[in-house]
Amino acid sequence: MAQADTSRLIKGATGDWEVIVGLEIHAQVTSRSKLFSGASTEFGGAPNSHVSLVDAAMPGMLPVINAECVAQAVRTGLGLKAKINLRSTFDRKNYFYPDLPQGYQISQYKSPIVGEGEVLVDLTPDRSIKVGIERLHLEQDAGKSLHDQSPTMSFVDLNRSGVALMEIVSKPDMRSAEEAKAYVTKLRAILRYIGSCDGDMEKGNLRADVNVSVRRPGEPFNTRCEIKNVNSIRFIGQAIEAEARRQIALIEDGGTVEQETRLFDPSRGETRSMRSKEEAHDYRYFPDPDLLPLELDEAYVEGLAAHLPELPDAKKARFMADYGLSAYDAGVLVAERETADYFEAAVAHGGVKRDAKAVANWIMGDLAAFANSQSLSISQTLVKPAQIADLVDLIEAKTISGKIAKDVLAIIIAEEKEATPSAIVEARGLKQVTDVGAIEAAVDQIIAANPDKVAQAQAKPTMIGWFVGQVMKATGGKANPQAVNDALKRKLGL
Amino acid sequence: MNRRLACGLTDDPLTDLTHLTLAEARDALKARKVSSRELTQAHLDAMERARLLNAYIAETPDKALAMAAASDERLAKGEGGPLEGLPIGVKDLYATEGVHTQACSHILDKFRPTYESTVTAHLWRDGAVMLGKLNMDEFAMGSSNETSYYGPVASPWLPPNWSEEKARAALKGDKRGLLVPGGSSGGSAAAVAAHLCLAATASDTGGSIRQPAAFTGTVGIKPTYGRCSRYGMVAFASSLDQAGPIARTVRDAAIMLGSMAGPDPKDSTCFNGPAPDYEAAVGRSVKGRVIGVPKEYRLDGMNPEIETLWAQGVEWLRDAGARIVDISLPNTRHALPAYYIVAPAEASSNLARYDGVRYGLREPGKDIVELYEKTRAAGFGPEVRRRVMIGTYVLSAGYYDAYYVRAQKIRTLIKRDFERAFADGVDAILTPATPSAAFGIGEKGSADPVEMYLNDVFTVTVNMAGLPGLAAPAGLTEQGLPLGLQLIGRPFDEETLFSLGEAIEQAAGRMKLPEPWWACGAVAAVGDRGHNANRSEDFDDGAG
């Protein structure tokens, strides 16, 4: 268990409090068909257009496990460095609801397919925590009840009914909203690397039940509350903070926290009670007699392990070792697999070795800024790794300055998506002026025209910046800044 | 005087096509001595005369004749499957595309599936002809066919000392005092015994094939769990439910099971291997086979006639060359209580889907909870409601370990008892099929449901252990009612049961089934048939 870290404590009226967070993530398994039926899992179909007889729980229908969903769960377990249980079983969780056609959800209650594991979560470049994984199990999603279609009736859309979910349960190892958000971000990255869940929170493909309790540092765990179905990383953070504040205020007022299920209302920034422990359902779990125990063998698991992609932690370590990147840069680049791939493609483009740090800076700087402004990922911008590679090469060869390079990137984005930076520089005459004679002529001209500034600069050498600017202006920005600097220093006698 | 002449009927039992066995009919069809249309029409006529027995709850005459015509075409070309042209009945538990499939429950009101069960699909693949859907206890919960929403089935066997006139009068009334055919496959057993089909599908969760077979002098086999696919069978208790046939001879049952069984990727619990040629096992020598006789099946106060019959069965098998050994199955006495925990537990969950939301009966309410409550209260009969409540209770937090978990442990012990016996060299076990002969409609279970549950005392162990069990008619009580013996086999060794069953059949002689006392002047109008007007819809089925 993590030690209490004073920087993460919350100040209450009567002293410091520590917040304890555990998360249950529901991740929709990426698969063509549902967990126990052949119906499509495609998002956005007309209501009830992806529903098989099994999903609609017609009389006499039986579930048959989808092998791809099993493989995805095992791959994910391997990615979480978790124990793969070679024998797991399915149970029925019984309750009545119109979007649950069987009257029970098939889940894995007693024996999940994946046991304990852990996730390394980077908080800052030099601080990380390990969050324990309690278990991962497979279960069916429910359908969707639509209460706003008719004044007197509710409608039911069963397209989601029976879609496979992985429920990934963490240990109560997080001590702040920031840690919880970082954990979800990392877990999402791992799932996306593996390809077992697309992590699309807007479509509800990744949602969290958040367990929150508070305690005085060093004391045992207190009663927790569960906040159901939080569907964005930002809301997870807000829900934890709101709930921790509520519990602290309650206890400091002499009250006690009751175990209950709560909902987070983002518009009001508060959680409210959904049902108390007394109102909790009795789910009457029992083994599903329609399904045999799920038995896997070592060779099967090893086969999946052998084809697992390189995961974020390993990739980050390699980026640091092979490219000499800082922990921070490597961490940013590996957060999305596509960005990491983009980086490597740009570094290695044309079989030439180029400055990886420079490539990283371009991707994390100007390109990321553009991508963010358009709400795109790096790989979704139409800028190609080859173009970034070319830009870096042009700067390295002193053909253009960094300033001109920014302009060239802007031209690519705005006008010439397919052109190489070299071609743009050539066509537009952007080549850097390194001819010392031409630069000196420009310097002489500026010095001659500004005797007052010369005097000022000689008294205060930082004034040289003003001269650099003037010279660059006079040369259309193409002068080599180093050469301009050298000439100015010499001529001004600095 | 000749009964049939007295009734104004001219059909001679010797030439009555409904009196052929399935195997005889098959051979007659192959030899082109009779057409499937003739055979089918003979059964449809018999069904019409027997409507008051209430064995069929939906007749499909147009479908039957169309299937028969198609079979005749194939037979004419020398083609056709192993059941080509043979008319059979189907328990209402099996999904049959476009045809009444309600497990005889009101909650599945007007439900007509768009799909076919695997078992019936196998039968149609092999050329069988569907005559209609057979009555049963609601959701297969019952041992007398009295819990059916469509009313009880009358056994074709006359109650002791009843005149035909008295029986016919009772048939037109509330049927009280007439004999039950057993249950839950009461319609199947009655229809087979009354020659209203050549054979029928049935299903068995705790004895629902074997007990009605024993009560009606017919042959029934519940094969090993997993031998037949459960796909498209309305589920009662998934870990116990198994399909099987009821027929008039052991050979006929073997032919039927051979078609019904086989692997199915749509049922994860279905055995993934082909069914053997069961008919080939019929007539195979039983010499040297070891038959276990379990002392725990000798109950205190058991009907001495059953004891005598059991001893007779032992002698028959000994005479046929089998070796008889006494065995012990010490956990037998726990089987019934454990069964009545496991089966309702699974049922309470399996029946949750009948909620009025997507299909079947819906009783509107002011909100969803009231809709559930009113629909399920109106849709389920008292026995089903009782079992759903028992099942819900035994799975509840705080009771789960005390009931469900302990019942599962008992189940393991029961299985182990059998495994030990088989490991000691026993090939099959001989027991009585039921603790008594058939009783009267309205006679049992109204005050104490356990009285009814005791009917399953010899059969539930077999379901709990997942083993095959065959009930064969072995004789009559002094009062003239049929009694059956049960053979229990090793997992997936139905063949041994068929050869032993045939040895009993040979020794006991073919059961002489009742003459059709019900048919005399008893062509019922559809509108006269009981409380449920919507049944008539089923008889229109295919007629329009």
Side-chain angles (χ1 to χ4, degrees), chain B residues 265-341:
Chain B
K266 295 200 286 276
D267 176 0
S268 312
T269 64
C270 189
F271 176 66
N272 190 23
D277 179 358
Y278 291 126
E279 194 182 0
V282 179
R284 206 175 274 166
S285 167
V286 301
K287 207 160 263 156
R289 305 318 294 269
V290 180
I291 307 300
V293 177
K295 61 172 189 251
E296 289 80 6
Y297 282 63
R298 198 157 283 123
L299 304 180
D300 285 343
M302 189 160 80
N303 182 344
E305 287 184 304
I306 305 263
E307 284 246 34
T308 307
L309 183 83
W310 191 9
Q312 178 66 72
V314 166
E315 286 315 309
W316 286 332
L317 291 180
R318 201 196 306 273
D319 292 347
R323 192 155 67 80
I324 311 297
V325 295
D326 286 330
I327 62 166
S328 174
L329 301 169
N331 291 290
T332 300
R333 69 197 171 93
H334 302 305
L336 197 67
Y339 170 85
Y340 274 98
I341 290 169

Side-chain angles (χ1 to χ4, degrees), chain A residues 231-281:
Chain A
N231 61 5
S232 86
I233 292 177
R234 195 157 55 94
F235 290 163
I236 289 170
Q238 291 173 4
I240 291 167
E241 276 165 7
E243 178 59 15
R245 279 197 305 274
R246 184 190 72 86
Q247 292 185 14
I248 291 167
L250 189 64
I251 299 169
E252 290 189 333
D253 281 354
T256 48
V257 175
E258 299 294 331
Q259 187 176 334
E260 61 181 352
T261 303
R262 302 182 69 84
L263 284 175
F264 177 63
D265 180 349
S267 62
R268 306 180 61 172
E270 62 183 33
T271 66
R272 58 168 184 271
S273 184
M274 189 175 145
R275 56 173 179 260
S276 70
K277 193 182 175 186
E278 288 71 37
E279 296 166 301
H281 292 123

